[in-house]
Amino acid sequence: MNEKLKEKVQESLSSVLPITVIVLIISITLVPLEIGTLALFLTGAVLLIIGMGFFQLGAEVAMTPLGQGVGSKLMTSHHILLIALVCFLMGAIITISEPDLQVLADQVAAIPNEVLIWTVAVGVGIFTTVAVLRILFHIPLPTMLTICYIALFLLSFFTPSDFVAVAFDSGGVTTGPMTVPFIMALGVGLSAARSDRDGANDSFGLIALCSVGPIMMVLLLGIFYHPTEAVYETVTITPISTTYDVVRQFTSAIPQYAEEVLVSILPVAGVFLLFQLFTRYYRKRQVLRMSVGFLYTYIGLVLFLTGVNVGFAPVGSLLGEGLAQGSLKWSLIPLGVIIGYYIVRAEPAVQVLNEQVEELTGGTISHKMMNAALSIGVACAVAVAMLRVITGISIYLVLIPGYAISLILSRLVPTVFVGIAYDSGGVASGPMTSTFLLPLAIGACTALGGNVVTDAFGIVALVALAPLLAIQIMGLLYVRHLKAHPQPSEPISDDTVIELEEE
């Protein structure tokens, strides 16, 4: 376990380090920061690295086996209502513990945290059920996605504009390091019990549909919920004179987040206990291992949220305000390109996805090609997001064409690529997007006097959109390769090759 923890901390270091270096360079060249503020940021970065390491290991050890166990048991049941109820409860309960969602909720001043979190949790629960029923009833994923996204955009026209960007952001943040391992494992557990040729392909796509639920529910919230107008003010950081002041800032915040995390993670632990009591699915050694995993998840989540809210996000907001001054504001676009490029390359989950696609295509689409495509896609997405902050152009001008193209592509590429593409949207919009890019955009928008909820929010949604286009374009290239070379080496499987050649 210790070696595994070391590996996860190293992965977290590779994720946080590029952003830390970029911030240091900006603080030296463009936006000077006080030494105390910089000390807060660096301390927050350290807590973020350690917290993410603990959290990712805990989620892997506890969430993945729990998801596979629930999925395989559900397939033995012939009661559709029971399956639907269990999937709804599991999707909702897991989402409540999602750290990226809690970070987003802290940024949305117009809606109380509890209201937003529970709204999103219900959405994930509903669409977890929809995603599982799709697998059971063999409904094509492209058809489901087309119907869902047409419904989303139609619904968004009846929703106040202040809610639209937040709604699409919520779809990206909910598929984070807590939710993804469980839902992916649930899909593997469900599809593994099927013997048909589409079983493996159907293990992809759950994340895609679970991302739809939060968007739809927040759009509905915007129609029926009327919050008081929120005012986003300039971020102020408590003056730091000594290293003791830095330590005191973090230690005073830990009890609050420890209590919040305990409340959010207890329901998940309760589900695990009830599942084990009723099914006796896990052996004693695995129960002990998963219990340690829950402890690691708790410790990691407390450190993660403390580091983000005390040191990391406030400095991101301050940098955004500094960069928005005068003609310097246009530097946000090239900086967005650089940050976007390195953020997605550093995400550990993205590297796992890239290896999966390389194996799936027998090396035709290499790990290196995937890295390049995703990095360029996300870099462009962040640049467009920063352009929106500066100019205030509507998010519809980006989302509607982007999703229209991605839905058209979903009809032209093999189904398995559609599932991977839409799943990867949630993977790409990882912790760094909500903890640094969003505060950076909010800080810049505040300094420019723009509308934060319409101009700054939406950055997570754009980052989540980029892989949809990048990976499906890769899918088109793969289909062309198959047509040019009818006998590729090391194909996915005979059935899958037949299916790809037919398409």
Side-chain angles (χ1 to χ4, degrees), residues 151-357:
L152 286 181
F153 281 108
L154 289 176
L155 182 61
S156 71
F157 292 125
F158 297 95
T159 305
S161 58
D162 288 357
F163 278 82
V164 174
V166 174
F168 278 91
D169 276 355
S170 68
V173 300
T174 47
T175 49
M178 187 76 167
T179 314
V180 167
F182 174 81
I183 293 179
M184 287 293 288
L186 181 67
V188 170
L190 287 166
S191 58
R194 282 173 46 180
S195 57
D196 59 285
R197 62 186 251 183
D198 293 325
N201 289 357
D202 279 344
S203 64
F204 299 105
L206 267 79
I207 301 297
L209 288 172
C210 289
S211 298
V212 172
I215 303 173
M216 185 169 291
M217 291 304 295
V218 176
L219 289 174
L220 289 172
L221 179 68
I223 296 174
F224 298 105
Y225 183 78
H226 303 286
T228 56
E229 186 175 350
V231 178
Y232 288 83
E233 299 177 349
T234 302
V235 172
T236 56
I237 295 180
T238 305
I240 303 295
S241 302
T242 65
T243 52
Y244 175 76
D245 293 334
V246 175
V247 174
R248 187 174 58 184
Q249 287 289 315
F250 286 97
T251 54
S252 62
I254 284 177
Q256 174 192 344
Y257 296 114
E259 182 180 351
E260 289 181 6
V261 172
L262 184 63
V263 170
S264 66
I265 208 169
L266 276 179
V268 185
V271 167
F272 165 63
L273 290 175
L274 290 174
F275 180 71
Q276 177 63 11
L277 284 173
F278 283 107
T279 65
R280 302 291 180 183
Y281 186 82
Y282 307 106
R283 296 180 179 180
K284 288 184 179 180
R285 186 173 181 179
Q286 194 168 11
V287 170
L288 179 60
R289 180 179 173 84
M290 291 175 69
S291 300
V292 174
F294 277 108
L295 178 61
Y296 276 22
T297 303
Y298 176 75
I299 293 170
L301 195 47
V302 172
L303 294 177
F304 176 89
L305 290 175
T306 304
V308 165
N309 291 309
V310 178
F312 214 78
V315 171
S317 187
L318 280 178
L319 286 178
E321 292 175 11
L323 290 169
Q325 304 299 323
S327 60
L328 199 60
K329 66 184 181 182
W330 294 104
S331 66
L332 285 166
I333 296 175
L335 284 172
V337 171
I338 296 170
I339 293 171
Y341 186 87
Y342 283 104
I343 271 185
V344 73
R345 290 180 72 89
E347 288 288 354
V350 168
Q351 301 311 318
V352 172
L353 174 74
N354 292 349
E355 291 170 4
Q356 192 177 32
V357 173

Side-chain angles (χ1 to χ4, degrees), residues 38-71:
L38 196 58
L40 274 181
F41 174 78
L42 293 175
T43 307
V46 170
L47 288 181
L48 204 60
I49 292 166
I50 298 172
M52 282 177 64
F54 271 93
F55 181 82
Q56 288 178 1
L57 177 58
E60 180 181 301
V61 170
M63 292 299 105
T64 300
L66 182 60
Q68 289 178 343
V70 172

Side-chain angles (χ1 to χ4, degrees), residues 44 68 73 90 151 156 167 176 212 252 262 294 304 326 362 382 395 404 418 422 437 467 469 471-473 478:
Q68 289 178 343
K73 277 293 179 183
M90 292 304 301
S156 71
V212 172
S252 62
L262 184 63
F294 277 108
F304 176 89
V382 178
I395 194 169
V418 179
Y422 279 83
L437 277 179
L469 301 172
I471 291 180
Q472 289 189 106
I473 290 171
Y478 182 60

